[in-house]
Amino acid sequence: MFAGPGVAGAIRNQFNLVGNTVNSGTVGGASGGGSTGADSATVQAAIAKDAKDWTLDEQKAVAEDIAAKGEASPAYAKAKAAMDAGTEWSVKLNTELTAGRTMKYRIIGINHDDLADGGGKAGLTFLATTSINRCEFNPKSTDGGWEKSELRSRLNTGDLWSLMPSDFQSKVVSITKLTNNERHFNKDVVITATTDKLFLLSYSEIVGAPWSDEAYLSWTSSEGTQYEAFKDKVIAAHSSNNCLIAKDHLDGRGRWNGSYAMWWERSRDPESLGDYLLVTTDGNPSHGLMSHADRDVCPAWCF
């Protein structure tokens, strides 16, 4: 049956009312990109307070509003200022597994990562600034890269994912990450995609430049683009195949993100087929180590 303009308008208004009620809830849209925006009470509450005091619900609502509106979101400027200032939050990990340990984290990207369902961008990307565990990357094999690594499995469905409290888990969205998962290097190496909830950063997401000017290593700039938090804060020295996160952005012990030891990236070491890259305690993101070594895990994720 055809509904006249008045009836159709009433139906639309009722639908919008229901949609706004859902989006102003504490959890937000399931895909991470569906907030209707500025009239959300949770977004308004976040705007009204210092970003360092944002709750998980407010972080999620801000992320969804930014995903929907970009820089037009009333929360965008505050989120960017928090990213630029290195504002940190903390969440208590699963007490049954960690005896009450907490994970600190900060924003490293805004509208940066692609949602795995093809629905656009995730509003905010975060990086843990403390290690959640010390683990081997892939103790059983050097093949398969990040895609088939034991560490990826543990972060997405295993014991490391279980460290996260349920309220946190419900807010994380699945995104697409690009990685060289092959065990050989050439300029035409195939970069493949994975769907991840918790993930490790790649070399290019930190450095934003190839490992060197050698053509066969051009793939090292194809594992995602540099996160906004690292821009103008990384010193690249391609002639020595080395990149250092600028000293003035490190903490007092030489760590950019507060981790007490070297933390894993998901990128293969361009100079060794069986090794993977880490960020060292002095901020060097180009250090390679064998996959069965035991090192810190500082995951990233999106709301």
Side-chain angles (χ1 to χ4, degrees), residues 10-25 36:
I11 293 172
R12 285 195 301 272
N13 290 338
Q14 187 65 25
F15 178 82
N16 290 335
L17 177 61
V18 173
N20 289 338
T21 301
V22 171
N23 284 314
S24 65
T36 58

Side-chain angles (χ1 to χ4, degrees), residues 154-193:
R154 294 175 67 183
L155 283 168
N156 279 274
T157 59
D159 62 310
L160 298 182
W161 173 250
S162 297
L163 291 179
M164 305 299 155
S166 58
D167 191 33
F168 175 94
Q169 290 181 353
S170 68
K171 293 171 173 57
V172 175
V173 294
S174 294
I175 49 85
T176 299
K177 302 310 295 182
L178 300 174
T179 314
N180 169 17
N181 291 302
E182 299 184 29
R183 199 170 181 265
H184 62 84
F185 305 129
N186 60 64
K187 65 182 178 62
D188 299 317
V189 70
V190 177
I191 303 297
T192 53

